[in-house]
Amino acid sequence: GVCVCFFFVFYFLLVGVSRAERLQGGLRDWNFSLLRMSRGKVVLAYSGGLDTSVILKWLQEQGYDVICYIADVGQDDDFAKAEAKAKALGASAVYVENLKKEFVTDFIFPAVQSNALYEGRYLLGTSLARPCIARRQVQIAAKEGAEYVAHGATGKGNDQVRFELTFYALAPHIKVIAPWRDNTFLTQFQGRTDLLNYARANGIEMPSGDKPPFSMDENLMHISYESGSLEDPKVAPEEDMYTKTEHYKNWPDVPETIRIEFRDGMPVNVLSKETKESHDDPLELFLFLNRIAKKHGIGRIDIVENRFVGIKSRGVYETPGMTILRCAHLDIEGIAMDREVMRLRDMMTPKFSELVYNGFWFSPESDFLLAAIEKSQELIDGWVDVICFKGNCMAVARDSPSSLYSEKIASMESTEGYDPSDAAGFIRINAIRLRAHREILMSTDRRRLEDAPQKLGTYSALLEDEKKE
């Protein structure tokens, strides 16, 4: 009897301990779930690569409900694979957004109208894509009721600025998580080795193949190459690096002529005069120009530029179709735009390009400049023929129904509409201030002129004249 009693006491003790442990474990899981829920939702700009996959898991460990957002702006990625990877890693939702057409119509074409060019060379391929991507990210955050957005941009580059200025411009109360500026994250991940070790430990699919010796950013407008082996500006890139333009050995020996039609400064049609292939859909038009430019090796540049954060950076860019478009747009303006309007717009172009580069697409000053540029494009209509050959493009013919060019007035064989004798009065009027300036110099003490720091131009000419005398 004693043994039986002891058995039942022991059994109930075991059952009680087991239930207590299960209850304690349940409370622990419940508390952990509450902790995760308490941090809120975050929409992560996700690519499917190593960095953003690690960031996804790290955010979950910090207690966030992670919604992944994949932006398709024309990069050569496997979006279905990236979506499946995000879901497998525990993302509560995944958005794959096709932004290609709005990227062309809302960002690339306005840049064409403005002739945007940063520091005289860079066509702003990455800079234009970032506000397009960030705009949709805050739209998804609003739809999901997310309090946070996150990105994987580094703490040294321009992209962190471009993303976050757009976030705050469009959603002032949004909160931004930037892991590559977070001390906790940086302590845990001090390099690629730490990322790879974390990925192995957390079941994140590892990158396959050799890592390129440089970083790349691609969209339908361009591809950029920087860092790694390109950080030494004395070293030329390998020809095999280029992906959006053919190897120079494969550039055709026969030129190709493309006709581009504009309406109010916007491209509305493109036609190959050789193949007769034509497109009027904005996206298809742009992609067609990309194919033509790729074949002929058009759109490469290799530059050292000034980042907004104060660092000089070496970048190699391929911007094929945009290079042809800018060539044609400049030319149609030459025949259809008023001289003084062009001068004013040309004063705005460098500032607008700087704003875009620095991340201020959505800003009062950009709104003002875009409105002025749009006004300048009224009746910039017509077509331009561009010849493409061996890495170059050149406008060779143009016509416009709103042309300000008069063949009769411009001709040396005709005086219709222009009396050459009028030029004499025009010259005399413009010479009034030049004559006055000379008289002032003539009456100035010569020792004063000789001491002047400016020894060129009219000062020098006067002193030289007197030496000859």
Side-chain angles (χ1 to χ4, degrees):
V2 173
C3 291
V4 172
C5 289
F6 178 78
F7 172 78
F8 279 109
V9 168
F10 183 69
Y11 172 77
F12 284 118
L13 282 171
L14 283 177
V15 170
V17 169
S18 176
R19 285 179 176 175
E21 286 178 343
R22 286 201 303 272
L23 178 61
Q24 185 177 12
L27 287 172
R28 210 169 32 239
D29 293 342
W30 183 68
N31 286 332
F32 182 64
S33 297
L34 283 179
L35 176 64
R36 292 187 59 180
M37 289 176 61
S38 69
R39 300 300 293 271
K41 292 181 179 180
V42 55
V43 178
L44 169 66
Y46 183 74
S47 68
L50 176 64
D51 286 29
T52 53
S53 295
V54 167
I55 289 171
L56 194 169
K57 293 300 293 184
W58 182 81
L59 287 170
Q60 290 172 335
E61 289 179 352
Q62 305 307 304
Y64 293 99
D65 175 9
V66 183
I67 299 161
C68 284
Y69 156 58
I70 303 169
D72 176 5
V73 284
Q75 68 272 36
D76 185 19
D77 284 350
D78 188 336
F79 298 107
K81 183 178 180 181
E83 180 181 12
K85 186 174 182 180
K87 289 178 178 177
L89 292 174
S92 62
V94 181
Y95 286 80
V96 181
E97 300 290 296
N98 184 345
L99 308 180
K100 293 192 289 289
K101 192 160 189 174
E102 65 188 71
F103 180 33
V104 173
T105 58
D106 296 358
F107 297 90
I108 294 177
F109 280 3
V112 171
Q113 288 184 307
S114 71
N115 298 323
L117 198 68
Y118 180 68
E119 295 188 340
R121 301 174 75 185
Y122 173 44
L123 285 165
L124 300 164
T126 297
S127 314
L128 289 164
R130 294 307 185 235
C132 179
I133 294 169
R135 178 175 68 177
R136 183 57 58 87
Q137 191 168 352
V138 294
Q139 289 170 347
I140 292 171
K143 178 181 176 181
E144 288 283 344
E147 189 178 355
Y148 302 88
V149 289
H151 62 79
T154 69
K156 285 187 175 180
N158 292 311
D159 282 345
Q160 57 177 339
V161 182
R162 294 165 180 158
F163 278 125
E164 293 180 34
L165 289 179
T166 300
F167 295 153
Y168 292 130
L170 302 182
H173 303 296
I174 202 76
K175 296 177 183 177
V176 178
I177 301 172
W180 286 113
R181 298 199 309 262
D182 183 282
N183 288 331
T184 303
F185 185 88
L186 292 173
T187 300
Q188 186 175 354
F189 303 103
Q190 298 182 16
R192 185 172 174 82
T193 300
D194 292 333
L195 292 172
L196 291 170
N197 290 337
Y198 181 88
R200 291 189 190 97
N202 287 272
I204 298 172
E205 183 181 345
M206 304 294 286
S208 59
D210 296 331
K211 184 178 185 292
F214 38 76
S215 66
M216 297 178 288
D217 178 75
E218 182 191 11
N219 57 54
L220 64 86
M221 180 179 167
H222 91 152
I223 187 168
S224 65
Y225 311 88
E226 59 183 13
S227 303
S229 60
L230 296 174
E231 288 181 349
D232 185 349
K234 299 188 298 296
V235 178
E238 298 290 334
E239 179 66 25
D240 292 339
M241 177 189 77
Y242 296 103
T243 60
K244 284 192 175 289
T245 52
E246 293 288 351
H247 193 290
Y248 71 87
K249 292 181 180 179
N250 298 326
W251 296 351
D253 294 326
V254 179
E256 186 169 0
T257 302
I258 304 298
R259 175 166 291 185
I260 302 171
E261 185 179 345
F262 294 90
R263 183 176 180 84
D264 291 329
M266 285 282 192
V268 294
N269 190 269
V270 64
L271 167 72
S272 168
K273 299 188 76 174
E274 280 72 28
T275 66
K276 306 305 179 187
E277 183 176 353
S278 176
H279 297 278
D280 57 13
D281 174 78
L283 177 57
E284 293 305 317
L285 181 156
F286 196 84
L287 294 177
F288 174 71
L289 288 175
N290 273 347
R291 293 194 295 273
I292 297 297
K294 178 178 182 177
K295 179 169 61 174
H296 293 277
I298 294 167
R300 297 181 182 183
I301 61 167
D302 183 338
I303 63 174
V304 174
E305 68 198 61
N306 291 295
R307 289 180 176 174
F308 189 27
V309 293
I311 300 172
K312 280 190 179 289
S313 169
R314 192 266 187 98
V316 181
Y317 301 98
E318 294 176 275
T319 317
M322 187 67 164
T323 301
I324 297 177
L325 263 185
R326 187 172 190 275
C327 172
H329 183 260
L330 284 166
D331 198 75
I332 196 64
E333 285 187 333
I335 197 171
M337 182 177 278
D338 175 79
R339 182 187 72 175
E340 297 305 318
V341 171
M342 182 181 290
R343 288 177 177 176
L344 287 170
R345 195 285 317 279
D346 286 349
M347 292 168 62
M348 299 176 187
T349 295
K351 184 60 181 178
F352 177 70
S353 303
E354 179 186 295
L355 290 172
V356 174
Y357 184 86
N358 291 343
F360 290 94
W361 180 276
F362 293 106
S363 66
E365 58 271 35
S366 284
D367 289 346
F368 167 75
L369 289 175
L370 281 168
I373 289 166
E374 185 177 7
K375 179 66 178 178
S376 77
Q377 298 298 296
E378 290 179 357
L379 298 180
I380 305 301
D381 302 345
W383 56 260
V384 178
D385 285 349
V386 178
I387 191 168
C388 304
F389 187 59
K390 299 288 185 183
N392 292 291
C393 59
M394 182 177 74
V396 293
R398 74 286 299 157
D399 190 29
S400 171
S402 50
S403 173
L404 299 176
Y405 173 83
S406 169
E407 187 175 350
K408 289 183 178 179
I409 292 176
S411 174
M412 294 295 183
E413 305 297 326
S414 171
T415 60
E416 183 177 332
Y418 178 83
D419 185 348
S421 64
D422 292 342
F426 175 79
I427 294 168
R428 283 195 296 272
I429 289 170
N430 278 279
I432 289 173
R433 63 184 182 86
L434 304 181
R435 285 173 165 172
H437 183 59
R438 180 71 174 190
E439 292 296 330
I440 292 170
L441 292 179
M442 292 290 288
S443 62
T444 302
D445 187 280
R446 294 302 176 266
R447 288 171 296 181
R448 176 68 183 86
L449 294 181
E450 289 172 352
D451 292 340
Q454 171 64 277
K455 294 295 191 298
L456 302 175
T458 51
Y459 279 33
S460 174
L462 177 61
L463 295 172
E464 289 297 323
D465 287 348
E466 292 185 347
K467 286 180 183 179
K468 292 176 183 177
E469 293 175 1

